[in-house]
Amino acid sequence: MLVDIIFSLVIGGTVGIVGHVRKHGKIIMPRKTKRFIYLGFLEDLLLGAVAALILILYTAPNLLVENILFSVIAGMGGDAVLSKIKLNQTEKNNE
């Protein structure tokens, strides 16, 4: 089970980084501004890894192929959730 957890974290984080590069066109490094800390690619990496971990712990796949498939789906889903939250905040500010 520990191998499945580590494997899902790595795959989910990798999918998160790929989503970050697809969205921004490059890897944006973390930086600190006067108001907040922008995590850059780490934000997408952590979100993909945690989403994959939660899905793997919830479903407990039996095969390696299931583990890979669920981790990839969770990594992409985490990116979609983050995009939706940002879109809702933008619409809320425009009202």
Side-chain angles (χ1 to χ4, degrees):
M1 184 67 177
L2 182 62
V3 173
D4 290 338
I5 290 172
I6 293 171
F7 195 64
S8 69
L9 286 173
V10 170
I11 290 177
T14 303
V15 171
I17 290 176
V18 169
H20 177 82
V21 171
R22 183 179 51 85
K23 187 177 7 175
H24 298 287
K26 62 181 179 178
I27 292 181
I28 299 174
M29 299 303 289
R31 64 181 184 273
K32 183 178 179 182
T33 62
K34 290 183 179 181
R35 292 184 175 230
F36 63 95
I37 298 173
Y38 179 66
L39 295 177
F41 78 94
L42 291 178
E43 177 181 358
D44 294 319
L45 179 132
L46 292 173
L47 188 67
V50 169
L53 176 66
I54 290 171
L55 187 63
I56 292 300
L57 290 177
Y58 182 72
T59 58
N62 295 327
L63 301 174
L64 181 64
V65 175
E66 289 177 347
N67 193 348
I68 293 170
L69 183 65
F70 288 158
S71 298
V72 169
I73 290 171
M76 290 187 307
D79 182 44
V81 167
L82 186 63
S83 298
K84 180 66 175 175
I85 290 171
K86 286 183 180 179
L87 180 65
N88 286 341
Q89 288 177 349
T90 304
E91 288 177 355
K92 188 177 181 182
N93 290 337
N94 289 338
E95 291 179 348

